[in-house]
Amino acid sequence: MAGTPLEEFTTLMASQGPAWMSGVDSLVNEAVRRRYTQARIMAGKDMLEYVQGGDELTDTIYLTEKSTYERYNPNVRGTYPNVQTGTTMTVPWAFAKATVSWTKQEVGLNKDTTNAKARAQKYKSLMYQKHQNLWTSVCNGLEDELWATPNNSEMESATPTGARQPLSIPAIVNEHTSTIPLDVDLTAWTTVQGINVSNEANWRNAQQTYTFTSASALGAAGIFAPMSKLLYSVSFDKLPKNPEYSDKYTSPHVILCSLNGIANYEFALRSNQDEFRGIGKTSGQDPDYNAPTFRNVPLSYIDSLDSADLYTDGSALVDEESSTVTGPRYYFINGEYLNFVWHSENYCVLEKPVNLTAVGQHATWVQVVDCWNNLFARSRKRHGILYPSASTTNA
């Protein structure tokens, strides 16, 4: 290596990228959270489903049948309406950045002057620390956004008041009246992805309430029947005739919940052990349910849901244990119809280092990661939420 330590390190940062960001079909896996939502809603998808180009995200949805089917009598004049179907949804890109920076002094104090090889190892160690913080920041920032409190003026509005924020899952799947998202001050939205929720019954997620108490096996089992009802309500057949004009049979891929949510469900399984004996990878006797499921749909703990302010206490949105009716919520998510989409040309792009001396930060360099993305729902009725009708006594 030749040149000053700052020049050498800057050259390294400009030419080296972490292996896990080798292309748009690679996902960042450097993480510190217990669970990450993005991996669960993107699992099994083709790259074309979550990487797109263009100026904005668009899709067309068929919301309301305009029936032309009718019985007729022979030789009677009929009418032949020219019905128009299809509603176009448009979602703008939301832009985010993360940065890594270094100074002449920082690099100089980390160098080893004995030989070039030793200096290179010092530089790589420093670069690793920089990238570790960078990509962890990106992962955690994206996770926070997926469960952010709905904010109409920044998520849905065509003219956001600040930097546009991506839609969050609770803006698409929620327990509120008519599934209309609420801001933290309980101000109701009108549209979701530009479609008026009040006018379109098919542009609403499914809802079901449940009861649960840890006082008895019967009280714990109160969660099972509502789960069945919700799962059936978000599962759809294909058309029996000309099925190419409908989607294939679809049902949720994952049920997301808080730590209390997963603990309560496992308690319900254990306390009703006779009913479940023989189910699972072993004989069914292990009280630790490894990857519990409901009708083969896995339940997954998402730690963001432990503290997310998404449920009303009558005056604001609060977490699940502070709401008017306390207790875990269960999000039934169909990943085929909920895409976290990245822009094909700006998928966490690591830009070239920039010298900030000209703007008053002497001997400082910065490197920016540019991220263009948004959460896009192709359907709302294929997702659902199970929430308590009375406060739970958690396990």
Side-chain angles (χ1 to χ4, degrees):
M1 302 184 73
T4 68
L6 180 60
E7 290 171 340
E8 291 176 342
F9 185 74
T10 300
T11 299
L12 182 65
M13 291 293 285
S15 61
Q16 297 292 320
W20 55 84
M21 283 300 298
S22 57
V24 297
D25 57 345
S26 301
L27 291 179
V28 177
N29 62 14
E30 179 68 20
V32 295
R33 296 281 178 91
R34 296 183 185 89
R35 300 289 187 274
Y36 282 84
T37 306
Q38 189 178 149
R40 285 160 174 79
I41 64 176
M42 295 175 70
K45 291 183 179 178
D46 186 271
M47 185 181 70
L48 296 177
E49 295 182 73
Y50 62 83
V51 177
Q52 296 183 21
D55 297 333
E56 54 193 6
L57 294 165
T58 61
D59 198 8
T60 300
I61 187 171
Y62 175 36
L63 285 169
T64 305
E65 173 201 354
K66 298 179 180 179
S67 181
T68 60
Y69 179 85
E70 62 179 358
R71 296 290 177 177
Y72 68 93
N73 290 317
N75 203 34
V76 174
R77 178 174 295 179
T79 58
Y80 305 94
N82 181 19
V83 299
Q84 304 299 315
T85 62
T87 300
T88 300
M89 300 179 292
T90 301
V91 174
W93 293 107
F95 311 112
K97 65 179 176 65
T99 61
V100 57
S101 61
W102 57 95
T103 65
K104 175 182 179 180
Q105 293 78 11
E106 182 181 23
V107 174
L109 294 174
N110 274 278
K111 70 183 178 66
D112 188 316
T113 59
T114 56
N115 55 63
K117 183 177 181 180
R119 290 202 309 275
Q121 292 303 315
K122 286 287 186 179
Y123 294 157
K124 288 183 178 180
S125 176
L126 179 59
M127 184 180 72
Y128 178 85
Q129 296 174 44
K130 297 288 186 181
H131 278 302
Q132 182 181 50
N133 183 71
L134 174 68
W135 298 116
T136 300
S137 296
V138 171
C139 287
N140 291 348
L142 292 170
E143 179 67 15
D144 290 340
E145 289 174 340
L146 283 172
W147 295 104
T149 303
N151 185 325
N152 185 278
S153 65
E154 294 183 354
M155 294 179 180
E156 178 72 9
S157 174
T159 55
T161 55
R164 180 175 295 284
Q165 303 297 309
L167 286 168
S168 63
I169 292 175
I172 296 166
V173 186
N174 61 72
E175 66 185 52
H176 307 308
T177 302
S178 298
T179 77
I180 296 173
L182 300 179
D183 278 15
V184 69
D185 62 355
L186 303 190
T187 302
W189 292 28
T190 301
T191 64
V192 174
Q193 292 183 188
I195 297 176
N196 191 301
V197 182
S198 297
N199 294 345
E200 297 288 355
N202 284 331
W203 191 236
R204 301 174 190 171
N205 63 264
Q207 298 175 335
Q208 190 66 236
T209 61
Y210 75 97
T211 61
F212 174 91
T213 174
S214 59
S216 67
L218 183 60
I223 195 173
F224 296 134
M227 273 191 161
S228 289
K229 292 178 181 179
L230 185 57
L231 192 62
Y232 279 118
S233 68
V234 292
S235 300
F236 293 86
D237 276 347
K238 58 186 178 182
L239 286 174
K241 174 68 175 173
N242 297 102
E244 66 270 21
Y245 293 112
S246 69
D247 291 352
K248 62 183 181 180
Y249 173 80
T250 61
S251 64
H253 295 103
V254 67
I255 302 170
L256 306 175
C257 61
S258 65
L259 184 60
N260 278 334
I262 199 77
N264 286 359
Y265 184 71
E266 290 186 0
F267 176 84
L269 297 180
R270 283 193 295 271
S271 61
N272 291 276
Q273 183 65 30
D274 286 345
E275 184 175 344
F276 296 94
R277 182 169 294 152
I279 301 298
K281 295 181 179 179
T282 62
S283 65
Q285 300 302 310
D286 188 346
D288 178 16
Y289 283 84
N290 182 23
T293 63
F294 183 79
R295 292 185 183 271
N296 295 320
V297 180
L299 276 76
S300 187
Y301 163 46
I302 300 295
D303 50 329
S304 297
L305 288 172
D306 291 338
S307 58
D309 292 334
L310 306 174
Y311 321 105
T312 180
D313 69 353
S315 59
L317 294 183
V318 296
D319 63 53
E320 65 181 25
E321 295 305 320
S322 304
S323 57
T324 303
V325 178
T326 64
R329 276 67 171 176
Y330 298 84
Y331 291 80
F332 287 56
I333 300 297
N334 188 328
E336 293 185 27
Y337 298 90
L338 188 63
N339 286 349
F340 191 82
V341 185
W342 296 85
H343 194 282
S344 58
E345 296 178 3
N346 294 277
Y347 181 96
C348 286
V349 174
L350 193 60
E351 299 179 347
K352 293 181 179 180
V354 176
N355 190 333
L356 299 183
T357 300
V359 294
Q361 289 183 248
H362 177 65
T364 299
W365 290 77
V366 65
Q367 198 169 12
V368 175
V369 169
D370 199 13
C371 304
W372 299 13
N373 47 48
N374 212 322
L375 187 65
F376 191 84
R378 296 179 55 232
S379 169
R380 293 188 73 205
K381 68 186 295 185
R382 286 171 170 79
H383 313 288
I385 185 170
L386 183 71
Y387 62 99
S389 58
S391 294
T392 63
T393 56
N394 296 324

